[in-house]
Amino acid sequence: MTTPAQGLHSHVLAVLGLAITAGEYPPGTVLRTDELAQRFDVSRTVVREVVRVLESMHLVESRRRVGVTVLPTRSWNVYDPQVIRWRLAGADRPRQLRSLTVLRSAVEPAAAGLAALHATPEQCRELTEQALGMVATSRGRRLEEYLVHDIAFHRIVLDASGNEMFARLGDVVAEVLTGRTHHRVMFEDPDPAAVTLHVRVAEAVRERDAVRAEELTREIAVGALRELDVLAP
């Protein structure tokens, strides 16, 4: 259950986070705690809690006698799921989507190849189930249902790789797929070829064919970049 204080905290955090990542507060801008409290009609305690969260994301730096200073983009924790969500909600969405999709194209093929070598029988079964779920929801403008299976599929691949660094990127990939869907950077129905490729990746992992799993996943990534050329140039 969300308390009134938590609701205020979430509201202020969302507004400030979106504003900073959208460039409304350029790097070097100094934000005053008292002014923020007055603007949002909240206590300074709420503002300080919000600032602590923004500091943990490296969006701002708080210094005594100076105030809260907005940091340059190079300092941000660009892998933080909330930061990704805010950036995808802004005007810089096409560039952010492309940057994240290129990251996926570098990581996920390697993860799929490793998954073919290390996935447990249970992970192989779950991967097949999610791929079939994608097939079942790929028609009739059921993008929200499709998204659930799509996220689960890619999380399993990353987890099954056996590489803890790859596995930690599950939240990043989830935010990319969610943002692409919610901001309508998707066709009304997923590309049938991409859906089929996911099924074939599941087969390759189950059959322990690392080379094929990697190649097929790379095809998925190339297709995702091609979609961006059309939908978010």
Side-chain angles (χ1 to χ4, degrees):
M1 181 177 178
T2 302
T3 67
Q6 289 172 326
L8 287 172
H9 175 276
S10 298
H11 171 68
V12 177
L13 178 63
V15 172
L16 280 179
L18 279 167
I20 291 170
T21 55
E24 293 179 27
Y25 296 114
T29 301
V30 176
L31 307 173
R32 305 292 181 185
T33 302
D34 289 345
E35 292 173 2
L36 291 173
Q38 185 175 6
R39 173 189 167 187
F40 291 103
D41 193 21
V42 297
S43 68
R44 283 181 292 178
T45 299
V46 170
V47 172
R48 282 195 292 267
E49 290 173 355
V50 168
V51 168
R52 276 197 289 270
V53 175
L54 295 174
E55 281 186 300
S56 72
M57 300 171 175
H58 304 295
L59 297 182
V60 301
E61 178 182 58
S62 182
R63 296 176 63 186
R64 189 174 297 178
R65 297 197 183 96
V66 175
V68 180
T69 305
V70 177
L71 295 174
T73 308
R74 65 178 179 274
S75 299
W76 298 355
N77 179 5
V78 293
Y79 290 104
D80 187 292
Q82 184 67 73
V83 173
I84 292 172
R85 198 173 310 146
W86 288 332
R87 297 181 79 185
L88 289 178
D92 200 31
R93 182 184 308 131
R95 192 173 67 86
Q96 175 72 351
L97 274 173
R98 185 168 299 280
S99 176
L100 290 164
T101 304
V102 170
L103 172 67
R104 289 182 58 201
S105 70
V107 170
E108 289 195 90
L114 289 171
L117 300 176
H118 302 297
T120 65
E122 177 66 15
Q123 287 172 323
C124 290
R125 183 185 64 77
E126 290 178 357
L127 197 63
T128 299
E129 286 182 0
Q130 297 304 332
L132 294 177
M134 293 173 72
V135 173
T137 57
S138 63
R139 286 290 172 269
R141 303 181 182 180
R142 300 166 65 185
L143 289 180
E144 289 295 333
E145 295 172 75
Y146 180 87
L147 176 64
V148 173
H149 297 291
D150 198 8
I151 289 174
F153 181 95
H154 290 279
R155 281 192 185 278
I156 294 167
V157 170
L158 292 167
D159 287 339
S161 71
N163 183 297
E164 62 183 9
M165 305 300 286
F166 287 173
R168 288 295 298 274
L169 291 174
D171 289 342
V172 173
V173 173
E175 288 298 335
V176 178
L177 296 174
T178 301
R180 193 177 64 175
T181 300
H182 290 174
H183 295 295
R184 301 185 182 278
V185 192
M186 284 274 288
F187 295 112
E188 291 183 343
D189 284 326
D191 178 13
V195 177
T196 300
L197 283 171
H198 283 78
V199 175
R200 293 175 64 194
V201 169
E203 292 173 349
V205 170
R206 189 173 64 248
E207 294 168 4
R208 305 302 181 187
D209 191 334
V211 173
R212 190 159 65 97
E214 185 168 344
E215 289 175 347
L216 291 169
T217 305
R218 186 168 288 108
E219 284 188 51
I220 293 173
V222 169
L225 283 168
R226 193 178 298 123
E227 278 191 13
L228 288 181
D229 288 337
V230 175
L231 298 171

